[in-house]
Amino acid sequence: MTIAAAMFAALGGPLHAADTTPLKFEHPAIDSAATVGIWKSYGDDEIAKNADRLDVFTARITTPEGAELIISQLNGSSVCGTEDCPVRVLRDGKLVYDDSGCRYTEDYFVNSSMNTLFMCDFAVPTVAENAK
């Protein structure tokens, strides 16, 4: 069972459109200050070495509590697998997720509390584990 399927079951069934917010991704320049800030310290200067072959997709959204949530995907053959790419999630500038997610950003959405990001079959928290 996938993580998303397990969460759907735990929530009593699939999430309905009214319970979710789709993300609108922008396609900023790979060398923009915002992109560099999100992806700093990523794998031995991968961005600098392969900038001409990389894309980045970034969505920004404000949570009901007023926190800024940034979801960013680095995309390119040198960093992605067949179905997943590196994804970083920042909440108010703090990195809360730094791993992989599906490459299809059109299938990204957050739940109504914006505490969970769904990426195809991936479901990850958008809050730090030690946050109160």
Side-chain angles (χ1 to χ4, degrees):
M1 177 181 288
T2 65
I3 295 171
M7 290 192 71
F8 292 157
L11 294 171
L15 293 174
H16 299 285
D19 300 332
T20 64
T21 300
L23 298 171
K24 295 179 182 172
F25 283 87
E26 296 178 357
H27 188 79
I30 194 74
D31 60 353
S32 72
T35 298
V36 171
I38 293 167
W39 289 100
K40 64 185 172 204
S41 75
Y42 181 78
D44 297 330
D45 298 322
E46 182 72 30
I47 293 174
K49 289 190 296 187
N50 296 300
D52 59 333
R53 295 181 303 234
L54 292 175
D55 288 312
V56 66
F57 300 93
T58 301
R60 295 173 185 272
I61 195 166
T62 303
T63 69
E65 301 84 29
E68 180 186 39
L69 192 59
I70 299 172
I71 296 97
S72 187
Q73 179 200 81
L74 195 57
N75 192 303
S77 61
S78 66
V79 295
C80 295
T82 54
E83 295 185 20
D84 62 327
C85 294
V87 173
R88 287 189 171 176
V89 177
L90 292 91
R91 187 179 198 97
D92 283 339
K94 181 179 180 183
L95 187 64
V96 295
Y97 181 79
D98 184 14
D99 206 337
S100 62
C102 85
R103 67 174 34 221
Y104 309 106
T105 56
E106 64 273 11
D107 291 334
Y108 282 40
F109 60 93
V110 291
N111 63 347
S112 59
S113 68
M114 299 185 185
N115 288 332
T116 304
L117 169 64
F118 296 91
M119 305 174 284
C120 304
D121 287 345
F122 295 88
V124 298
T126 63
V127 293
E129 289 183 24
N130 59 359
K132 294 185 180 188

